[in-house]
Amino acid sequence: MKFLYGYSVAAELRPGTRYDQVVEALGGHGELVQTPDELRPALERAFAAGKPALVNALTDPSVAYPRRSNLA
């Protein structure tokens, strides 16, 4: 959002925050993914968990996500 608007529109997500642990504390399934190789197995476990799940994939906050708007 900062890339598009110059400020955080909805929320400030902090790098390294363990959102996966928050979901686990609430009774869900949480996974932390730090490398691309960990992503598929984590997603497979999340889908198989049978309960709400969150896969917390850490990314580099300095890399701007290429966005395109279909709102026009």
Side-chain angles (χ1 to χ4, degrees):
M1 294 296 170
K2 286 184 181 181
F3 175 74
L4 291 175
Y5 303 110
Y7 60 93
S8 180
V9 175
E12 185 69 36
L13 301 178
R14 304 253 180 231
T17 300
R18 296 296 305 269
Y19 299 105
D20 53 302
Q21 291 178 341
V22 173
V23 169
E24 286 180 344
L26 295 170
H29 175 83
E31 293 266 351
L32 177 66
V33 171
Q34 296 177 325
T35 67
D37 291 340
E38 296 173 341
L39 186 57
R40 179 182 288 271
L43 288 170
E44 290 171 350
R45 288 188 296 271
F47 283 118
K51 54 187 170 181
L54 178 132
V55 175
N56 186 8
L58 299 184
T59 60
D60 184 345
S62 68
V63 176
Y65 180 80
R67 299 173 194 269
R68 190 178 92 185
S69 174
N70 293 327
L71 300 175

